Amino acid sequence: MQEPQPQASGRSFPPISVPACQPLIDIRNGERSSAHVFQRFNWKKNIMGGSSMLASYEKDKAEQRFAELKKALATCQSYEGEGYVGPFKVKVTTETPPQVGEEAVAFWETIPMGPEQPEARNEQFIVVRTGNTIAAFSELSVGARLSFPAELISRQVERLHNAQQP
């Protein structure tokens, strides 16, 4: 679990090249939530694995953050940034999300790996809001487009919905 960072802490990497795309990163990482928790998955058939993030928000903040995410997805097609292994270029594509929660979006981020590795890094993100909670599920793969298991997403979102007060 990770508590919110102090406002003065700032980012450890430079901002990405297209500020309108920043919500794609921030919201899936639980930025500006009251509290959030991450879980990593190591699948038998994909050593890259997946993850989930659950973020809790006060009052109507989850709806506001989700609106920011949808706005970003409507305009963000690509961006560049710098990560742990250096600079990267991302292509963003959306897809039809599963019918879960009160709101859901699904998108892919594809990063070419360069001439030394011709296959691309593909990461699927499914982000769902239910009540005052935002859940993000991701599946990372190289060369293929593997998806986070829909049944696990559905069960988790149902549990989140049932656990919240009306």
Side-chain angles (χ1 to χ4, degrees), residues 51-118:
S51 67
S52 67
M53 183 283 309
L54 303 177
S56 176
Y57 294 85
E58 296 178 11
K59 300 181 185 176
D60 62 347
K61 299 291 184 200
E63 284 183 63
Q64 292 173 9
R65 294 296 280 161
F66 210 85
E68 292 172 30
L69 175 62
K70 290 194 296 188
K71 181 180 177 183
L73 280 172
T75 60
C76 183
Q77 296 178 351
S78 65
Y79 64 87
E80 295 178 23
E82 188 172 327
Y84 292 106
V85 295
F88 59 84
K89 295 179 182 183
V90 176
K91 178 183 175 192
V92 178
T93 55
T94 60
E95 66 179 359
T96 303
Q99 298 294 313
V100 293
E102 294 168 42
E103 301 180 89
V105 296
F107 62 98
W108 288 89
E109 290 193 353
T110 304
I111 301 173
M113 301 294 282
E116 65 280 351
Q117 186 172 357

Side-chain angles (χ1 to χ4, degrees), residues 98 100 137 147-159:
V100 293
F137 305 89
S147 297
F148 196 97
E151 176 60 27
L152 292 179
I153 293 171
S154 180
R155 287 194 321 226
Q156 180 65 38
V157 171
E158 182 179 345
R159 287 180 181 135

Side-chain angles (χ1 to χ4, degrees), residues 6-27:
Q7 288 185 344
S9 66
R11 295 186 183 282
S12 59
F13 296 112
I16 61 174
S17 62
V18 180
C21 297
Q22 192 66 50
L24 274 61
I25 299 167
D26 291 350
I27 294 168

